Amino acid sequence: MSGNKFRNIAIIAHVDHGKTTLVDALLRQSGIFRENQQVMERVMDSNDLERERGITILAKNTSVRYKGVKINIVDTPGHSDFGGEVERVLKMVDGVLLLVDAFEGAMPQTRFVLRKAMELNLKAIVVINKIDRDGARVSEVADEILDLFIDLEAGDEQLDFPIIYTSAREGTATTVPGIPGQDMKPLFEAILKYIPAPAGDANGPLQLLINNTEYDNFVGRIGIGCVKRGRITAGQQVNIIRHDGDLCQGRIGSLYIFEGLERTAVDVAVCGDIVAFSGLEEIRIGETVSCKDQPEQLDPIIVDEPTLKMNFMVNDSPFAGLEGRYLTSRHLRARLFKEMEKNVSLRVEKTDSPDVFQVCGRGELHLSILIETMRREGFELQVSKPEVIFRWDAGRKMEPIELLLVDIPEDRMGAVMEIIGTRKGEMINMTSLGQNQLRLEFKVPARGLIGFRSQLLSETRGHGVMSHLFLGYEPYKGDIKERYQGVLIAFESGEANNYGLHSVQDRGVLFITPGTRVYEGMVVGEHTREQDIEVNVCKKKHLTNMRSSTAETALRLEEPRVFSLEEALEYIGTDELLEVTPQNLRLRKRVLNRQDRARSQKNSQPA
C-alpha cells in the first residue's frame, strides 16, 4: 500500500466540545462495527477516570477506511494541562481536525493546540460542532476562528481552511450550515481532499519517531509511532538513536497496525502507517528507530516546560499503612520515575530527603490525575500545596502568566472581577454571549488561579465556567493572600461524634461527619476567623439519670463540606499537607503536635 492510501489526522479541541463523540460517529459510519454489535458511547475513553470525568486524558489511536484509504485518527486531550500528550501526537500526523463548539467558540485550549499545529505546518480542517445546540452562534464562531488564525499569524495557505458543520451526537455533517446533513460523508470527503498524504520515501531506509510507549504484561514495552520513511518488519534488526545521538541496536519483536479499535498483528508495515511494536525494552519517547545500516535521526519531540510543582512524600501520619499496599519511598520513587517515561511534560526530582520527591507538571489537573491514578493503584502518600515555578531574568523575579476566560451570568460580573482583582488579574476583553451571559478575559498570574475554581463556582452558584492557557513569563506581580479563613484542628486522636461536632460547628464549617477517625493535627473544618484554632471533636457528653445518650443523637449537624481531590489541593495552605490513601483524603498540618507546631511558628516569625 503506498503513502497515498493513508491520511493521518489528529482531532484537537477544547474540553467538552464533542471530540470523542465525533470519533464515535466516524467509527460507526465507517462500518467497523457489526450491525448488532453493542458499543458504548465515547468508546475511545477507555480509562476509568476519563469516563467518570468526561474528558480525554491520554491520546489514543484508531483508524477507519473510506474509499480504499486508511484514515489513522488520533484522539487528543482537550485540556492544556495535558499539552504534552498533544505536542508529541502532532509529530505523527499530517493534518488536524480543529473542533469548536458552535456556542462556546474558540477557547484558550483551542488556541494552544492550533498554535502547536501551525508551528508544524499541519493542514487544518475546521469542524464547527453542536450546530443543533440551543443558542448556537455558527456564523459568529466561524468569524472568531478566522480571527484566531490571523492572531496566530497564519500564512495565506493556512488561512484557506475548509469548514465542516456537524452534529457529532446525531452523526451528521454538512458544508452549508443552513442545509441539514444526512451523515458524516462531507467530513470524510474533506479529509481525503484537504489532508495531504504522508510525504516520506517508501523505498528509503527506515525512519520512525517514538511518539508514545505502553507496557504489556505479556510482551513488555511497546513503542508507538508513524513510519516516516521506508518500511518496518517483524524481526527486523534496527538502530535506536537516543536523544543525545548515541546509538544502540535492537530487534523488532511483534508488529501491529491499528484497524478500528483493535491492534492487528502484521509482518510488515509501510511508510505512512502508524504502528505499535514490541522488542525494544529501553525505548523512550522522542527517540528514533532507524535502519541498521543507515541510521539517521529525526527531530526530537520538544514540549513546553512545567509551570507548577509540589512535593510527593511518604505518608507518615498516625493512620499510615491502614489502607494502602504501596507505602515506602522505594515504591513511591519507582512509580514516579516510571510515570516520567511516558508522561513527557512531567519532571521528577530528588530532594535532600529520601522520602520526598519534587514533581513538576503543567497544572493542577495534570498533577491531580497522577495522584488519583496512584491512589487507585493502592498507593498511600502525602502531597504539599501546588506552587508555581519562578524564574530569574537579569536579576528580576519572573512568574508564569495565564490567559483566563470565564463565562458567567451578567449579574455576577462585579463579584467575579473583584475576586480576580485580589489575585492580581488584569482584564483585557469582555464579550456578550447573549442570554445574559458574559465572557471575560484576563491575564492573571498562575498562582492566582490556585483555589479560584471553587471560589468562582461559589460566587456564581455553579453557573461559572473557566478555562485558562499558559501565556509566558512576566515580572512578579506582588504578593497574593492565599486564604482568608483559618482552620479547625483536631485537638486529640479518636473518633468524632455528634456531641463533639455540634459543640464546635458554630465556630466554622465542618469537613467530617460523626464516626470519622481523626488524629491530633488533622484539619477537620474551616474557622470563621483568620486564625487557626484547636477543637475537640471527640468530646462526649457526661451521662446522668437526667441526660441519656439518646439526647446526643438528636443534635442537628450542618451538612459538612466534602472536598474532591482538586478542591483539597487548592484549599490546603503552605503549612499543611494532603494525606491521600485509596479510601480517604485527609487534610492535616505539616507539624501534628500542637507544642511543636507553636514552636515552629514562633521560630519562623521574623525577629
Side-chain angles (χ1 to χ4, degrees):
M1 185 181 286
S2 68
N4 287 328
K5 294 297 183 181
F6 294 105
R7 297 292 187 276
N8 297 328
I9 59 170
I11 302 185
I12 56 180
H14 181 76
V15 173
D16 201 32
H17 279 198
K19 175 168 40 65
T20 306
T21 307
L22 182 73
V23 176
D24 279 4
L26 294 174
L27 288 169
R28 292 173 192 276
Q29 295 189 27
S30 67
I32 71 161
F33 301 127
R34 301 187 308 274
E35 286 188 18
N36 62 346
Q37 186 174 348
Q38 294 293 315
V39 183
M40 69 178 74
E41 288 187 5
R42 294 187 292 115
V43 68
M44 290 292 282
D45 282 350
S46 54
N47 181 299
D48 286 344
L49 275 173
E50 292 177 322
R51 300 200 65 80
E52 288 170 19
R53 296 173 182 241
I55 60 173
T56 301
I57 297 170
L58 303 171
K60 301 177 195 66
N61 299 75
T62 186
S63 73
V64 298
R65 292 187 181 270
Y66 182 76
K67 291 187 173 179
V69 177
K70 182 181 181 183
I71 303 172
N72 285 307
I73 302 171
V74 188
D75 185 14
T76 65
H79 199 288
S80 63
D81 278 18
F82 305 109
E85 292 278 320
V86 177
E87 289 166 57
R88 56 191 169 92
V89 158
L90 293 180
K91 285 271 193 176
M92 268 199 289
V93 299
D94 304 293
V96 296
L97 300 186
L98 179 68
L99 190 69
V100 181
D101 187 296
F103 173 74
E104 293 186 354
M107 302 292 276
Q109 278 85 343
T110 314
R111 173 186 292 268
F112 167 77
V113 289
L114 179 60
R115 185 179 75 235
K116 294 295 180 185
M118 288 173 57
E119 287 172 358
L120 294 170
N121 202 30
L122 299 178
K123 180 66 179 177
I125 297 174
V126 172
V127 180
I128 298 181
N129 191 31
K130 303 186 184 181
I131 57 173
D132 53 347
R133 175 179 174 176
D134 290 340
R137 307 178 299 118
V138 177
S139 58
E140 294 96 321
V141 168
D143 291 339
E144 288 174 15
I145 295 169
L146 178 60
D147 292 340
L148 176 58
F149 272 81
I150 294 171
D151 288 346
L152 294 175
E153 301 178 354
D156 292 341
E157 188 176 339
Q158 290 173 321
L159 283 172
D160 186 24
F161 54 82
I163 302 180
I164 306 295
Y165 305 89
T166 66
S167 170
R169 186 177 58 182
E170 299 297 325
T172 62
T174 178
T175 55
V176 183
I179 301 176
Q182 303 299 317
D183 51 32
M184 300 303 288
K185 184 177 177 181
L187 182 54
F188 280 119
E189 293 290 347
I191 292 170
L192 296 194
K193 181 177 180 181
Y194 295 106
I195 302 298
D201 179 6
N203 298 313
L206 170 66
Q207 268 189 320
L208 182 150
L209 185 69
I210 298 297
N211 298 87
N212 202 357
T213 61
E214 297 178 4
Y215 189 83
D216 184 277
N217 290 330
F218 297 101
V219 298
R221 186 172 297 279
I222 292 175
I224 299 173
C226 179
V227 183
K228 294 294 186 181
R229 190 176 69 189
R231 58 174 54 201
I232 185 170
T233 60
Q236 181 178 357
Q237 291 287 338
V238 294
N239 264 314
I240 301 107
I241 308 177
R242 305 294 187 196
H243 293 101
D244 56 7
D246 285 350
L247 296 179
C248 69
Q249 293 190 349
R251 179 177 174 274
I252 302 296
S254 302
L255 180 66
Y256 309 90
I257 60 173
F258 295 89
E259 292 287 356
L261 297 174
E262 305 295 330
R263 284 183 190 159
T264 303
V266 293
D267 293 326
V268 61
V270 297
C271 179
D273 208 353
I274 294 176
V275 301
F277 57 86
S278 64
L280 307 180
E281 284 300 313
E282 299 301 319
I283 199 76
R284 298 286 183 271
I285 290 171
E287 296 177 344
T288 302
V289 176
S290 67
C291 172
K292 180 173 176 290
D293 301 320
Q294 250 179 290
E296 292 180 54
Q297 189 172 17
L298 289 162
D299 292 337
I301 296 170
I302 299 173
V303 299
D304 289 344
E305 290 296 311
T307 58
L308 211 61
K309 64 181 180 181
M310 58 197 302
N311 287 335
F312 284 46
M313 56 196 80
V314 172
N315 187 12
D316 63 357
S317 86
F319 294 166
L322 297 181
E323 299 171 13
R325 286 184 294 155
Y326 306 114
L327 315 169
T328 67
S329 59
R330 179 175 60 83
H331 288 131
L332 186 59
R333 181 188 185 282
R335 179 64 180 83
L336 290 175
F337 279 92
K338 180 182 177 183
E339 181 70 22
M340 195 167 57
E341 290 179 5
K342 60 180 181 179
N343 196 336
V344 291
S345 51
L346 193 77
R347 301 284 184 274
V348 180
E349 299 171 6
K350 299 175 184 177
T351 66
D352 295 337
S353 169
D355 293 340
V356 181
F357 300 90
Q358 186 180 87
V359 181
C360 306
R362 295 283 280 267
E364 285 177 78
L365 186 61
H366 183 205
L367 294 171
S368 70
I369 290 294
L370 170 60
I371 296 168
E372 180 64 32
T373 303
M374 289 175 65
R375 74 184 291 215
R376 294 185 182 203
E377 293 170 355
F379 280 84
E380 277 192 21
L381 66 152
Q382 294 178 144
V383 295
S384 66
K385 182 180 180 65
E387 300 175 25
V388 300
I389 300 172
F390 295 107
R391 290 183 182 175
W392 293 89
D393 182 14
R396 287 195 307 172
K397 190 177 184 179
M398 310 290 284
E399 66 174 325
I401 302 295
E402 302 267 339
L403 172 67
L404 170 69
L405 263 67
V406 289
D407 293 354
I408 57 170
E410 224 169 72
D411 60 346
R412 307 311 300 162
M413 174 182 169
V416 171
M417 287 188 65
E418 184 178 350
I419 294 170
I420 297 176
T422 63
R423 294 169 176 266
K424 307 296 182 183
E426 170 193 343
M427 192 166 87
I428 55 177
N429 197 16
M430 178 172 66
T431 309
S432 173
L433 299 177
Q435 300 174 341
N436 299 317
Q437 284 284 113
L438 289 177
R439 173 170 295 165
L440 307 180
E441 291 185 42
F442 299 87
K443 280 174 63 177
V444 61
R447 60 197 167 94
L449 294 181
I450 297 174
F452 172 69
R453 188 184 301 273
S454 54
Q455 205 172 357
L456 174 70
L457 291 173
S458 175
E459 279 295 335
T460 60
R461 298 178 178 86
H463 294 290
V465 177
M466 66 169 279
S467 57
H468 55 93
L469 170 70
F470 173 67
L471 285 179
Y473 277 78
E474 292 186 8
Y476 185 69
K477 304 295 182 184
D479 294 339
I480 298 174
K481 191 172 179 65
E482 291 182 355
R483 198 167 64 198
Y484 289 88
Q485 274 80 35
V487 292
L488 308 178
I489 308 167
F491 175 78
E492 63 180 1
S493 300
E495 187 175 296
N497 57 64
N498 273 42
Y499 182 73
L501 291 171
H502 186 268
S503 65
V504 302
Q505 72 174 357
D506 289 341
R507 295 174 177 262
V509 179
L510 293 171
F511 299 161
I512 61 172
T513 56
T516 302
R517 294 181 61 205
V518 301
Y519 50 78
E520 180 187 1
M522 182 172 154
V523 175
V524 296
E526 181 179 83
H527 194 198
T528 52
R529 300 184 181 182
E530 288 190 25
Q531 300 82 16
D532 296 345
I533 62 166
E534 289 158 1
V535 294
N536 189 355
V537 293
C538 305
K539 181 169 61 176
K540 293 183 178 180
K541 177 184 281 190
H542 295 293
L543 303 182
T544 68
N545 291 336
M546 298 295 293
R547 296 186 178 127
S548 69
S549 60
T550 56
E552 184 179 328
T553 61
L555 297 173
R556 182 178 178 276
L557 294 176
E558 298 293 333
E559 192 71 25
R561 184 191 300 179
V562 179
F563 289 103
S564 67
L565 176 58
E566 285 83 9
E567 289 168 344
L569 289 173
E570 290 177 349
Y571 185 82
I572 56 176
T574 52
D575 65 335
E576 294 163 1
L577 299 173
L578 176 64
E579 180 187 354
V580 181
T581 73
Q583 298 173 28
N584 287 289
L585 299 173
R586 300 185 185 98
L587 284 65
R588 53 158 287 183
K589 288 293 181 180
R590 282 181 183 266
V591 182
L592 296 178
N593 181 272
R594 57 183 176 277
Q595 285 91 5
D596 293 344
R597 192 162 58 247
R599 195 178 304 115
S600 174
Q601 290 171 349
K602 184 177 180 180
N603 292 338
S604 64
Q605 291 176 354

